Amino acid sequence: MRAIDANTFLVGTTKGRMLHVSWNGSNWIVKNLASPAPRYISCVAIDPSNPMRIWVTLSQLGGGRVFRSDDAGASWTDCTAGLPPIPINSVVVDPANYLRVWVSADVGVYESLDLGSSWSPFSAGLPNAMAVDLLFHKQDRILFCGTRNRGVWAIHVP
């Protein structure tokens, strides 16, 4: 789940459904979005510079595992090419540069500098461990990476 604002959020389900949920002051409105794939959605991210651009990751194998929508979830582009064939757990977008995206995987973190067209390992001193969550602190330009059994790592991003 990812909040767009105080009254609106996106939900990805274990079956690959995407929902847009909003509060209009008296009722919850639930709208089905197109599904990137009928598999476990592990993370949803919204581009801070463009709320119409949504990223999702899938931690279940059997096809694409990183998808981007440029039209608020009406259609999806598979951005998995160049990533190893392992589960992808989380995604975060650089708030200062929408072309720069990171994903965490069962082994390490990967970075794209071209909106998901290509990926490269982003080790930056990270241990060889399962990276399960990412968070970007905008003001201090720090990428936080939560790992399994190896703690949380803070990486200063130029």
Side-chain angles (χ1 to χ4, degrees), residues 47 53 55 68 70 77 79 93 97-101 112-119:
D47 184 335
R53 185 173 299 120
W55 290 84
R68 183 187 79 238
D70 296 317
T77 301
C79 298
V93 179
N97 178 4
Y98 72 94
L99 298 172
R100 192 176 196 183
V101 180
S112 174
L113 299 173
D114 54 12
L115 211 58
S117 294
S118 63
W119 298 92

Side-chain angles (χ1 to χ4, degrees), residues 51-121:
M52 299 290 286
R53 185 173 299 120
I54 304 167
W55 290 84
V56 298
T57 58
L58 287 79
S59 58
Q60 195 173 1
L61 299 178
R65 288 156 287 115
V66 178
F67 291 88
R68 183 187 79 238
S69 173
D70 296 317
D71 54 14
S75 63
W76 296 92
T77 301
D78 186 348
C79 298
T80 307
L83 290 169
I86 56 178
I88 305 296
N89 304 311
S90 184
V91 59
V92 68
V93 179
D94 186 339
N97 178 4
Y98 72 94
L99 298 172
R100 192 176 196 183
V101 180
W102 294 273
V103 294
S104 64
D106 274 10
V107 180
V109 174
Y110 297 86
E111 176 183 47
S112 174
L113 299 173
D114 54 12
L115 211 58
S117 294
S118 63
W119 298 92
S120 59

